[in-house]
Amino acid sequence: MANDADGTDGTDDLAYAADRGRGILTPSDREFLLGRKTDYTDHSKKQKRNRIRRRLRNAILDFTILFESLEDRDRETVFNPDAADREAYTRGITDMLAFLHLGTMGYYTPFKDMLSEGVNKAEQELAGSDYRMVTVDFNVEPVGQIDVDAVIDKLERGAFDQLTDEELQAFVRLLAESDDFSATDLRADMKAQMSAFLERIDAANERRDRRVDELND
């Protein structure tokens, strides 16, 4: 999807910058996919898509070499962008995972199995040993209908620990889509409350640590 949710084409985003250097896609590929250049014949469109597919497949194979042979300092530099570009890179990583998830649907090896094996390989690389083994949990559970009254009752009682992730996600989405809700108006109030909230958390942590020290004496 080239367009953002607000209907813009993302031209202010680093990913959409016309003068950005070549990656998997050439600048010409980006202009083609974004619909900025339309003077293609049916035949040239087909050739363009074929070249993009070939480069994508070769890029996937290149990751085996990158994982095995790229120096740590080079990898760390790639994933340490300038502060101004961090949001664009974070979105790029997120969209890369989304692309892989979509692309491997129906693939003979499930995405979750490849994800699990990939995380394990990374952990073993960090440990320098194949005896480093971790469990990776990945499940896709659709958010269904929630009982709004039940959620509000929990909020009024302060029973925040009883709220499920599904309830939180759905409730926040419903709240954000409500005509009576304004995230902009809420921002200032939330920021003002956050300092007091963090102070209460710090105080609770300090009490907990003191209590542990007392029990260990």
Side-chain angles (χ1 to χ4, degrees):
M1 292 181 291
N3 291 344
D4 294 332
D6 59 3
T8 66
D9 63 358
T11 50
D12 292 334
D13 191 296
L14 178 62
Y16 299 92
D19 59 350
R20 183 165 60 83
R22 174 173 176 168
I24 295 173
L25 300 176
T26 66
S28 174
D29 293 337
R30 297 177 196 135
E31 297 293 290
F32 169 72
L33 291 174
L34 292 170
R36 294 175 180 169
K37 186 177 180 182
T38 58
D39 57 340
Y40 287 94
T41 65
D42 289 343
H43 178 67
S44 61
K45 286 180 182 178
K46 182 177 181 180
Q47 288 182 317
K48 194 73 166 174
R49 289 194 300 270
N50 284 337
R51 286 195 293 270
I52 291 172
R53 287 197 297 266
R54 285 198 299 270
R55 277 198 295 276
L56 274 171
R57 283 184 168 174
N58 279 300
I60 291 171
L61 297 175
D62 281 342
F63 274 99
T64 295
I65 299 173
L66 289 171
F67 177 75
E68 293 176 348
S69 304
L70 190 70
E71 292 190 12
D72 292 351
R73 60 181 177 178
D74 294 324
R75 185 187 64 247
E76 291 165 2
T77 300
V78 169
F79 289 94
N80 186 29
D82 294 335
D85 298 332
R86 285 173 187 167
E87 185 175 345
Y89 280 98
T90 298
R91 177 177 175 180
I93 294 169
T94 301
D95 288 342
M96 175 178 66
L97 293 171
F99 184 80
L100 291 173
H101 185 41
L102 280 176
T104 55
M105 286 186 177
Y107 192 64
Y108 74 97
T109 301
F111 176 76
K112 66 177 183 179
D113 291 348
M114 292 183 286
L115 177 63
S116 178
E117 183 176 352
V119 172
N120 266 288
K121 288 180 69 173
E123 288 291 324
Q124 290 169 358
E125 176 71 16
L126 287 171
S129 170
D130 57 6
Y131 283 95
R132 168 66 172 172
M133 292 176 285
V134 298
T135 299
V136 180
D137 294 323
F138 174 79
N139 293 296
V140 180
E141 299 292 342
V143 175
Q145 182 176 348
I146 66 168
D147 187 334
V148 176
D149 289 331
V151 173
I152 293 176
D153 287 343
K154 292 177 184 178
L155 293 174
E156 289 180 339
R157 298 197 314 269
F160 306 116
D161 58 334
Q162 295 180 14
L163 289 167
T164 66
D165 290 342
E166 182 182 54
E167 287 175 333
L168 282 172
Q169 182 179 350
F171 190 76
V172 171
R173 181 68 177 267
L174 289 171
L175 186 63
E177 293 177 352
S178 170
D179 293 335
D180 296 326
F181 174 81
S182 170
T184 301
D185 293 340
L186 184 63
R187 188 194 306 269
D189 290 339
M190 290 292 289
K191 283 188 174 181
Q193 295 179 47
M194 183 57 71
S195 295
F197 178 71
L198 292 176
E199 288 176 1
R200 290 194 290 269
I201 290 178
D202 290 341
N205 289 337
E206 290 175 4
R207 288 194 298 270
R208 182 263 182 195
D209 292 340
R210 286 198 301 270
R211 181 58 176 157
V212 170
D213 290 340
E214 291 171 0
L215 292 172
N216 289 331
D217 286 343

